[in-house]
Amino acid sequence: MKPSVKDRIKRQKLKIVISSAAALLLVLAALAAPLLVPNDPYRTGSDLIRKAPGGAFPFGTDNLGRCVFSRVLVGARTTIGVTFLLVALSFLIGTAAGMLCGYYGSVLDELLMRIADIMLAFPQMVVAIAVAGILGGGIAGAMAALGITMWTGFARLARSHTKSIKALPYVQAAVLGGKSGAYILAHHILPNILAPMVTYALTQIGTTMIGISGLSFLGLGVVPPQAEWGSMISEQRAYIQIAPWAVLFPALAAVLTILVFNYLGDAVMDYRALSKNR
Amino acid sequence: MKGELLKIEHLTASYGEEPVLKDILLGIGEGESVFLVGESGSGKSSLLRAVLGMENLTVVSGRVLYDGKDITAAGGKQRRELLGREIGFVPQNPAGSFNPLRRYEAQIRDIMGSHGLTWDPEEVTEILEKLDLKEGKKLLRMRPYEMSGGMNQRMAIASAMLLKPRILLCDEVTSALDTTTAARVVKELGMLCTQRKTALLMATHHLGIAARLADRIGIIKDGRMTELGDTDRILTAPREVYTKQLLMDVPRLGRGR
Amino acid sequence: MKINTPVRRLFLRAAELIIILLVLSFLVFALMYLAPGDPAEKRLTSQGIAVTKQVLQAERERLGLLRPFLVRYAEWLSGIVRGDFGISFKDELPVSGKLLAGLKNTLILSAGSFFLSLAIALPLGIAGAVLKDRIPDHLIRILSFVGNSMPNYLISVLLMYFFCIRLRLFPVIAAGDLKGLFLPALSLAIPLSSRFIRQIRAELLSQLEEDYVTGLRLRGVKESDIILKNVLPASLGHVLTILALAVGTLMGGSVVIETIFRWPGIGKLVMDSIKARDYPVILGFVLIMGTIYAVINLLADIAGGILDPRTQKKGE
C-alpha cells in the first residue's frame, strides 16, 4: 500500500533534519578549521614529503610535505565559504532585481529580463571559464565569472513569484489603499517569496561548489598555496601514483559535501512540493 | 429481477480519512440501465471509480462482484482484461481521456489490439454514424485536441462500444455539452445500449435525463444510496424528502417528453 | 496577409539569436579591454625578448592594441562576418584555423559522451519511471544522485587513477582513437547521464500523471502500449529541450576534461590561450560555443513545436 501524504511529509521532514544536521556539522567544521587542524596546513617539510596516512598525519602528507588532513579542513573553509558567499550575493542581487522587475514592470523589467535572457543564452561554464580566464584567476574573478549567470536564476524566480503575489486580492487592496511600493514589497511580497527563494538557494549550493572547485582545478579560481579542494586535487594529481591519498581525501571531502548539500536541497524541495499538494 | 451482472455489496470506500461511499448496495442485470442521480460531490462518480478499481480510492469494506466473481481488489492483468472489454467506461472529460496528440485511429487500434480485437474501419464508421457523426473516416485521422467537446464525447462512446462490453459505465457524459447536444447524445447512447443489450450504469446530476432512459434510478446523497427503485416508482411515488426535492427541481417532467 | 507561424517564429528566433550574440561579443570584448595583464608584454616575455618601453610600445602598436576600443570592436566584428576571427597574439596564426582544428576534436569528444550519456540514461530513466518506488528505482535514484554530485574533474582524476594507473587498461594521455576517447567521454558522461536520468524520469512521471494515461488504462490498453506509443513520444519534446540545454554543460565540461586528458580540442586550446592572454582565441571560443549552443537550442525548440502543435497555438 502507498504511504499516505501525512507519512510522506513526516519522512521528508526527517530527511531534512538529518541532512541539515550533516550540513551544519560541515559548516561548523569549516568554521572551526583553524582550531581543529593538527598541523599547520601551509608548513612544508622536505623530510615529510608524501608520507602515507597514519600517526601525526591522519590523511598523510602531500608532495610538499604538508598535512593533507589539515589542508582538507582548511580547504573546507575556502570551498564552503566562497560557495556560501557567492550563493548569498546572487540571492541578494537576483531577488532584489526580480522583485523590482516583477512589481514595477515596464522598462526596467524589460531591460533586466533581456539581460537575463542573454546570460542564459550562453552555457554557464563556458562564460565562467572565459571571464575568469580574462580576469586572470583569483577568488574574486571566479566568483564574478559564476555570478554573472547565477543571479539570473534568482531574478527570474523572484520575478514570477512577485508577479503572482502582486495579483492577489489582498495585495491589490493594499495597492489601492495607497500603500507605497516599498511598503508592499517589504511587508507582502518579501515574506511570501522568501521560502521558495531560500529553497532555490539551497539547491544551488552543490552546483556552485562544483563550479568554484572546477574553476580552481583549472587554475582560474583559488590560487595555490591557499588550500581549496579543487586546486589541491589539481596540484597533487601528478603524484597520484605515489601519493594517492593527497588526491583521494580532498576528492572524498568534496563529494561528501556536495552530496550533503544536494540532498538537503532536494529534501526541502520535495517537502515543499508535498505540503503544497496537500 | 434479471441475472445480476454487476453487484455492489455493502461498499464503503474513501480517498483518505472520511468515506465518500457508505454501505452502497446495488445490483445491475444484463442489459439493464441504471442511473445514479446526485449532486456533484455526492459520491456517484466515486461509485463508478470503485467498480473500475481506480488506484486512489480505497475500498474500506464490502465487495464488487462482476459476473459472480469478486473483482474488488483485482489488479494487473485480470483488471486490464476486464476494463474496456467487459466493463466499458465513458469518462466525464472525454477529450482528456485520450492522448491529445495522437490520431483517433491509432488510439482506437491500440485499444482494440490490447483486447485481441481486430481493427475494422467500417465497424467504427458505422457506430460513429449511429452517434450522428458523419465522415467518420476523416474524424479518425484527427487528434483529440483538434475536435470539439461533443465530437470527443461521441468518439469516447464509440471507442467504448466497439469493444462490445457487457456493461457500460458513464460518468456525467453530458457535462461537457450544451443541453440540446447532451439530450441527443444520451438518447443515442441509450439506443445503442438497448440494441446491443449492453447494461448501462450512468452517473448524472440531471434527474430529467435519467427519467427518460433509466430502467431504475438510484438517488445518491453524501455517499449513501438514499433511494433506489424502478424509474416509474421514483418519479410517481418518491419516498424520501430529498428525492421529492430533486423532482421539484426538474421542470415539466413527464415521461416521453 | 498571414505569415506562416513556424516560419515566422524561426525568423524571430534567429533575429533574437543575432542580437544576443552581438551583445555578448560586445561584453566579452569590453571585458578584455578592461582586463588586467598586457598581451603584448606576455608575448614578448614568452619569446624571451627583453621588455623595454620602446619595444613594448611597438609591439602594442603592431598587435593593434593602441587604437580606440570601438574601432577595434568594429574591425573585429567585420572580420567575424567574413569568417575571420583575427590573428592569434601567441603565434600570429589565424584564430579561425586554430578554433576549427580544435572544434573537430571537441565535437568528437562531445558527441561520444553525449551518446554514451543517452545510452546510459534512456533505459535507466525509463526504468525508474515505470518501476517507481520499487527497488530498481531506488537503486537508480541513488546512483544518479551520487553521479550528479560528482564534479567531472574529480571523476576523470579517479577514472585515470583506477583505469590507467591501477589496472593499466588505458594510456594516461588519451590517444586520438576510440580507446583514447573512452575515458574522457565517460568522465563527461557520468554526471551528464545522472542528470538525464533524473530529468527523464521526472518528465515521464509527469506524463504518467496525465489524465489520458488513466483514460487509456481504464480502457484496458496494454501498459507497454501506453509507455511506448503514448508516454515516450509525448515526452520527446521536453526531453529534446533537456538534451539541448545539456550541451552547455558538455561544453564547459569538455574544457576541464580536455585539459586533464590532453585532448587536443577547443577547450584545451582556450586554457592554453588563457595562460598566454591570447584574447582573440578566447573571444572566438566564446562566440563559437555560444552560437552552437544557441542554434542547438533553437532547433530543439522548433522540433518541440512540431511535436506538440498545441504549444504554438498557446503562444499566439
Side-chain angles (χ1 to χ4, degrees):
Chain A
M1 213 181 105
K2 272 184 166 177
S4 71
V5 177
K6 227 175 163 182
D7 289 341
R8 281 165 67 198
I9 289 183
K10 220 186 233 170
R11 247 182 51 200
Q12 217 57 46
K13 269 187 186 160
L14 187 70
K15 277 187 189 172
I16 294 175
V17 170
I18 294 174
S19 50
S20 49
L24 199 68
L25 208 68
L26 285 169
V27 172
L28 285 179
L31 283 175
L35 305 172
L36 296 172
V37 290
N39 301 293
D40 179 354
Y42 298 102
R43 199 191 61 213
T44 58
S46 51
D47 51 333
L48 296 171
I49 285 171
R50 300 194 283 266
K51 278 201 178 307
F57 304 102
F59 290 177
T61 60
D62 69 6
N63 187 49
L64 295 174
R66 296 171 295 193
C67 171
V68 174
F69 180 71
S70 306
R71 285 183 68 74
V72 166
L73 264 178
V74 177
R77 216 170 137 87
T78 321
T79 308
I80 296 176
V82 172
T83 301
F84 272 41
L85 188 62
L86 179 52
V87 172
L89 283 174
S90 306
F91 177 94
L92 286 178
I93 296 170
T95 309
M99 276 169 66
L100 291 175
C101 287
Y103 189 81
Y104 291 107
S106 79
V107 190
L108 175 80
D109 185 28
E110 271 297 309
L111 187 72
L112 270 171
M113 285 305 125
R114 288 294 139 250
I115 294 176
D117 281 348
I118 291 170
M119 292 307 173
L120 287 180
F122 279 82
Q124 189 190 15
M125 237 2 219
V126 167
V127 174
I129 288 167
V131 171
I134 292 167
L135 291 177
I139 299 178
M143 282 173 64
L146 286 168
I148 284 182
T149 43
M150 219 173 124
W151 69 274
T152 57
F154 286 93
R156 281 169 166 251
L157 191 67
R159 177 177 177 268
S160 75
H161 278 291
T162 304
K163 279 199 151 177
S164 53
I165 291 167
K166 194 195 171 190
L168 292 177
Y170 77 96
V171 182
Q172 281 302 305
V175 175
L176 295 172
K179 294 273 193 262
S180 73
Y183 177 89
I184 290 169
L185 280 173
H187 286 84
H188 294 307
I189 311 263
L190 187 61
N192 285 309
I193 69 166
L194 216 49
M197 295 312 294
V198 170
T199 308
Y200 180 69
L202 280 176
T203 62
Q204 293 302 298
I205 293 177
T207 327
T208 310
M209 220 169 258
I210 293 179
I212 283 282
S213 63
L215 286 179
S216 298
F217 180 91
L218 288 173
L220 300 175
V222 175
V223 191
Q226 190 181 356
E228 194 280 342
W229 295 333
S231 64
M232 282 167 74
I233 295 165
S234 170
E235 226 185 324
Q236 299 301 321
R237 75 186 163 96
Y239 314 101
I240 195 168
Q241 199 165 356
I242 23 184
W245 51 85
V247 172
L248 295 182
F249 282 111
L252 194 68
V255 172
L256 269 179
T257 311
I258 294 165
L259 272 175
V260 165
F261 282 104
N262 275 348
Y263 195 83
L264 176 63
D266 281 8
V268 174
M269 212 161 62
D270 291 349
Y271 172 75
R272 280 183 48 77
L274 265 179
S275 38
K276 215 186 285 169
N277 288 337
R278 187 159 54 164
Chain B
M1 185 176 274
K2 298 164 218 170
E4 281 189 337
L5 182 63
L6 183 72
K7 205 167 175 208
I8 294 156
E9 289 183 340
H10 301 289
L11 190 77
T12 300
S14 77
Y15 290 109
E17 321 270 294
E18 189 65 18
V20 286
L21 293 174
K22 296 162 196 161
D23 200 30
I24 300 283
L25 204 60
L26 177 68
I28 296 160
E30 202 96 43
E32 191 187 16
S33 77
V34 176
F35 279 52
L36 302 168
V37 180
E39 292 161 12
S40 53
S42 60
K44 54 187 193 307
S45 299
S46 300
L47 186 53
L48 300 185
R49 290 165 156 260
V51 174
L52 294 166
M54 282 175 76
E55 267 177 8
N56 48 359
L57 186 70
T58 328
V59 172
V60 181
S61 61
R63 301 194 296 170
V64 178
L65 301 172
Y66 175 79
D67 212 9
K69 288 185 292 280
D70 185 350
I71 59 158
T72 325
K77 203 174 176 232
Q78 192 198 350
R79 169 75 64 186
R80 188 183 75 69
E81 283 173 354
L82 214 56
L83 292 177
R85 186 75 176 98
E86 300 283 331
I87 305 175
F89 181 56
V90 181
Q92 192 172 356
N93 167 18
S97 74
F98 286 102
N99 185 340
L101 294 174
R102 272 185 94 202
R103 294 174 202 279
Y104 266 113
E105 178 175 337
Q107 303 202 49
I108 294 176
R109 259 173 198 270
D110 279 358
I111 294 170
M112 300 190 74
S114 292
H115 293 291
L117 298 171
T118 40
W119 159 259
D120 177 7
E122 296 304 320
E123 202 186 343
V124 187
T125 42
E126 199 188 306
I127 286 201
L128 287 176
E129 232 153 71
K130 278 184 186 154
L131 291 167
D132 218 13
L133 277 186
K134 294 181 182 68
E135 293 187 83
K137 288 218 170 84
K138 200 179 122 201
L139 294 180
L140 284 172
R141 280 197 303 273
M142 286 171 78
R143 298 167 176 86
Y145 88 94
E146 298 169 323
M147 284 197 191
S148 72
M151 281 157 111
N152 277 312
Q153 185 66 272
R154 280 176 271 197
M155 280 304 213
I157 295 172
S159 76
M161 291 307 281
L162 270 173
L163 301 176
K164 303 190 179 68
R166 286 169 73 191
I167 181 167
L168 186 67
L169 272 49
C170 297
D171 190 2
E172 293 281 14
V173 283
T174 55
S175 64
L177 310 174
D178 63 84
T179 336
T180 11
T181 326
R184 213 169 62 219
V185 167
V186 174
K187 201 180 125 210
E188 287 154 355
L189 176 62
M191 275 160 55
L192 212 55
C193 285
T194 321
Q195 273 175 21
R196 300 192 167 200
K197 299 195 169 50
T198 309
L200 182 64
L201 178 61
M202 185 181 288
T204 178
H205 61 276
H206 209 304
L207 189 53
I209 283 178
R212 283 185 214 122
L213 291 161
D215 294 331
R216 281 190 299 148
I217 292 177
I219 308 288
I220 295 195
K221 185 175 192 278
D222 297 333
R224 281 185 199 285
M225 183 90 79
T226 55
E227 191 165 2
L228 174 68
D230 288 346
T231 307
D232 279 329
R233 211 271 295 145
I234 296 274
L235 294 178
T236 51
R239 286 175 199 145
E240 301 290 321
V241 183
Y242 182 63
T243 314
K244 287 174 191 160
Q245 276 175 7
L246 284 178
L247 277 170
M248 282 196 295
D249 290 342
V250 183
R252 291 175 287 109
L253 183 76
R255 296 226 71 187
R257 297 203 253 194
Chain C
M1 193 183 77
K2 200 162 177 269
I3 304 167
N4 192 351
T5 359
V7 176
R8 211 182 98 192
R9 258 163 64 92
L10 183 65
F11 272 111
L12 280 176
R13 289 292 306 268
E16 208 177 274
L17 173 64
I18 291 170
I19 294 170
I20 286 172
L21 287 172
L22 273 175
V23 175
L24 193 99
S25 67
F26 183 82
L27 289 177
V28 177
F29 206 90
L31 197 63
M32 288 194 305
Y33 184 75
L34 301 167
D38 184 346
E41 193 183 337
K42 196 89 185 177
R43 181 174 152 76
L44 289 175
T45 43
S46 72
Q47 287 174 340
I49 299 170
V51 184
T52 63
K53 230 177 185 175
Q54 261 178 330
V55 177
L56 195 60
Q57 201 63 12
E59 186 68 14
R60 282 182 185 146
E61 177 83 53
R62 209 173 59 81
L63 291 173
L65 295 172
L66 293 177
R67 279 165 311 145
F69 169 72
L70 280 178
V71 175
R72 281 170 59 196
Y73 178 64
E75 266 181 11
W76 177 79
L77 202 61
S78 72
I80 298 292
V81 178
R82 286 177 272 114
D84 175 9
F85 281 73
I87 299 288
S88 162
F89 286 171
K90 195 171 147 197
D91 47 20
E92 296 186 27
L93 291 170
V95 172
S96 43
K98 287 182 155 203
L99 287 173
L100 276 179
L103 193 59
K104 187 187 136 227
N105 289 322
T106 299
L107 285 181
I108 293 172
L109 175 61
S110 304
S113 42
F114 189 77
F115 289 113
L116 190 58
S117 304
L118 271 185
I120 299 170
L122 270 182
L124 290 183
I126 295 170
V130 174
L131 302 171
K132 183 177 186 264
D133 289 334
R134 308 247 283 275
I135 291 171
D137 179 36
H138 285 303
L139 289 178
I140 291 168
R141 276 165 71 184
I142 293 172
L143 230 101
S144 60
F145 179 74
V146 174
N148 201 35
S149 301
M150 301 263 278
N152 48 27
Y153 66 86
L154 213 153
I155 293 173
S156 56
V157 168
L158 294 181
L159 284 178
M160 235 180 185
Y161 177 61
F162 286 108
F163 284 100
C164 306
I165 294 171
R166 273 293 162 87
L167 302 172
R168 295 179 187 282
L169 288 173
F170 294 91
V172 176
I173 297 168
D177 58 3
L178 207 63
K179 197 180 169 187
L181 179 65
F182 182 71
L183 280 187
L186 187 64
S187 304
L188 284 167
I190 287 175
L192 199 62
S193 59
S194 302
R195 203 170 88 189
F196 284 168
I197 290 173
R198 284 159 70 93
Q199 288 171 324
I200 290 172
R201 178 180 174 276
E203 171 57 27
L204 291 182
L205 283 179
S206 84
Q207 276 292 328
L208 282 169
E209 300 250 305
E210 293 278 326
D211 287 345
Y212 76 80
V213 173
T214 314
L216 296 181
R217 280 187 184 144
L218 288 178
R219 296 184 175 96
V221 176
K222 275 186 270 180
E223 203 62 23
S224 57
D225 276 359
I226 292 180
I227 304 277
L228 295 175
K229 295 185 184 169
N230 294 284
V231 169
L232 283 183
S235 357
L236 193 60
H238 282 160
V239 170
L240 279 181
T241 311
I242 291 167
L243 298 184
L245 286 172
V247 171
T249 314
L250 208 52
M251 287 172 163
S254 63
V255 176
V256 180
I257 300 305
E258 285 172 11
T259 310
I260 295 172
F261 287 94
R262 304 197 197 160
W263 184 266
I266 199 168
K268 187 172 179 302
L269 173 70
V270 82
M271 280 313 293
D272 294 342
S273 306
I274 283 172
K275 280 182 203 123
R277 306 230 135 256
D278 196 349
Y279 291 154
V281 178
I282 304 173
L283 195 51
F285 163 79
V286 175
L287 213 60
I288 282 195
M289 289 310 211
T291 311
I292 294 175
Y293 181 65
V295 167
I296 286 176
N297 277 285
L298 178 61
L299 291 178
D301 196 48
I302 291 167
I306 293 168
L307 286 170
D308 188 347
R310 286 174 307 168
T311 47
Q312 267 185 22
K313 282 199 165 174
K314 271 181 218 153
E316 281 294 279

